[in-house]
Amino acid sequence: MKRKLISTAVLLAMLPATGAFAAALDRSGQPVSPLFQPGNLVEFGYTWISPSVEGVENAGQKRAIPDMGSSYKFPNAAIKYQANEKLSFALLYDHPFGAAAAYSGVNNFTTTPQAYGTVAKALAGQQALATATAKATQQLAGMGMNQAQIDAMLPTVLASPDVQAQMAAGAAAGAAALTPQAAGSHNTNVTVNTQSFSLLAAYQPNDNWTVYGGPVYQTIKGDVHLRGAAYSIFNGYDASFKTTGGWGVLAGAAYEIPDIAFRAAMTYRSAISHDVDTKENFVNFPGAPVNGTTKIETPQSINLDVQSGIAPNTLAFANLRWVDWSSFAIRPGQFGAVSKTVGPAVGKPNGFDLVSYDKDQYSATVGVGRKFNDKWAGNVSLGWDSGTGEYATTLGPVDGNWNIGAGVQYSPTKNFYVSAGAKYLWLGDAKAQVSSKTGTPAYDGDFKDNNAVAVGVKVGYRF
């Protein structure tokens, strides 16, 4: 492929974290820009995100909710090989979606070890008594007793020292399994991590058109712990989602005018379905953790990337992105079963999801980059993200953002470069809802005037 060197110098100076702290679970923005660089290329990048997300309760004492936005980081990498003038290949690695949040303080999204332990002990004791009663009933029935005789003998059997010792041991073990120490927190927290590997082939029949596409392999894993009065009966719910992989496709086309460094590239990524092994633990329904499978489908998306030379050594660029978050939902088996039981009481006869979103995400970034000399290039950008609605999940109480960014690239040789960039994000105000309240105007926390900082670095080598 024939590429103008100005596009390389400027685009590589762009902030690696273009999708940082976007709507819902969006993270990397899923770029394919390495595919359009001239020649052969290998690059590695790293992004750090530090959000500050604070709020107040919407009920009771309206207590403060300290910063619940956990910092996180993720790598990215790309290898691109130019086989000939018409055919090239690329392997792209990134973390397209993710979440990291942890509540703290004393509010409706946290609980105390003492309160949690008391509830766990009582519920485990009830379970131990039920287990001992069932076992004794079965033994007495095996001795030929009828139900009246069994009912008469049960108090004596259950009061025996051996049975009491077995019940005490069972209650202690059950309480230990239910305590937040086993789950890792007394507070509501969530982590979600995905990885994506895209193997692409690009064909350029002439200087103006390129078509590209290939398979995408994606993994997903996560943990969710719900704590505090806001979650009502779901206070004490835990879910662990084991690492699971799934396949999707990427397809795109680009139109270019090389003389002015113009390119418009549209990229489609399919939804990717995962059948995730899930372990659920529910303090309000004591017993052994429930193992099952949860259907999770990460959303389809479309990116439109446009660039054009506007002056010597100066390039304007824009990125538009759509993500189908309104089709995304997570409903683990035990959570879903309980939600169907309590759903009619909150106007949801079919139950409700652990996580879902009302609206799709739309985002836009525009900027200008300039090559100062053979060694230095840089850019500035302005960005907007729509979010997925004013009413947001308590696991991510943000409604989009506005952001500004700047990046710089240094090339000590013609084959090697180092780039760095930063973004400051004004996070959109949101009203946080527990899942039973989605689709209604009721909410549990008010989050305003929050922000985030993103920093990225990248190194690359052309060969």
Side-chain angles (χ1 to χ4, degrees), residues 225-419:
H225 309 290
L226 305 182
R227 303 288 185 269
Y231 298 98
S232 184
I233 195 173
F234 294 95
N235 176 17
Y237 173 80
D238 301 310
S240 179
F241 303 90
K242 186 178 179 181
T243 301
T244 307
W247 290 92
V249 297
L250 180 155
Y255 178 76
E256 301 181 72
I257 305 176
D259 290 341
I260 59 172
F262 173 86
R263 179 172 67 247
M266 180 172 287
T267 306
Y268 169 78
R269 288 179 179 265
S270 71
I272 298 179
S273 183
H274 302 267
D275 292 318
V276 185
D277 290 339
T278 307
K279 182 178 181 180
E280 297 176 86
N281 198 19
F282 214 148
V283 69
N284 285 316
F285 294 87
V290 176
N291 296 315
T293 300
T294 303
K295 187 83 167 183
I296 300 177
E297 187 173 86
T298 54
Q300 61 181 339
S301 65
I302 296 175
N303 283 16
L304 176 62
D305 296 282
V306 181
Q307 67 168 62
S308 181
I310 56 174
N313 294 319
T314 304
L315 192 75
F317 58 86
N319 168 266
L320 305 177
R321 177 167 168 81
W322 165 78
V323 187
D324 186 20
W325 286 114
S326 62
S327 298
F328 178 86
I330 299 176
R331 186 183 293 199
Q334 189 183 28
F335 184 97
V338 175
S339 77
K340 284 186 177 181
T341 300
V342 302
V346 293
K348 298 181 182 296
N350 296 320
F352 43 86
D353 302 313
L354 174 62
V355 178
S356 62
Y357 301 99
D358 292 334
K359 300 179 180 179
D360 291 344
Q361 170 197 355
Y362 298 88
S363 62
T365 299
V366 296
V368 176
R370 181 169 177 81
K371 178 182 178 182
F372 303 115
N373 53 48
D374 289 341
K375 294 185 181 296
W376 290 97
N379 76 19
V380 293
S381 65
L382 172 67
W384 167 81
D385 188 290
S386 69
T388 55
E390 178 186 13
Y391 294 94
T393 170
T394 57
L395 303 180
V398 171
D399 184 23
N401 68 75
W402 284 90
N403 62 80
I404 57 172
V408 63
Q409 176 183 301
Y410 175 63
S411 303
T413 71
K414 66 178 183 179
N415 294 329
F416 178 74
Y417 58 85
V418 179
S419 63

Side-chain angles (χ1 to χ4, degrees), residues 90-169:
L91 176 62
L92 311 180
Y93 168 76
D94 72 336
H95 289 230
F97 309 114
Y103 284 83
S104 61
V106 179
N107 51 66
N108 285 335
F109 303 96
T110 66
T111 188
T112 65
Q114 294 81 5
Y116 196 105
T118 299
V119 173
K121 184 176 180 180
L123 291 170
Q126 294 173 13
Q127 181 67 30
L129 175 60
T131 301
T133 299
K135 183 177 180 180
T137 298
Q138 184 179 21
Q139 290 174 340
L140 293 173
M143 297 169 60
M145 294 185 182
N146 59 36
Q147 189 60 49
Q149 293 171 320
I150 291 173
D151 291 341
M153 286 293 296
L154 269 177
T156 302
V157 174
L158 294 176
S160 69
D162 288 344
V163 174
Q164 286 290 310
Q166 293 173 7
M167 289 171 58

Side-chain angles (χ1 to χ4, degrees), residues 1-55:
M1 298 181 186
K2 298 179 180 178
R3 306 290 183 206
K4 300 290 277 189
L5 291 180
I6 181 177
S7 65
T8 303
V10 176
L11 288 181
L12 289 177
M14 292 180 65
L15 173 66
T18 53
F21 217 85
L25 304 179
D26 205 31
R27 287 296 177 262
S28 71
Q30 299 179 295
V32 295
S33 53
L35 183 65
F36 295 100
Q37 301 307 320
N40 304 319
L41 172 74
V42 58
E43 64 179 23
F44 301 93
Y46 218 83
T47 298
W48 294 264
I49 316 293
S50 180
S52 176
V53 183
E54 302 176 353

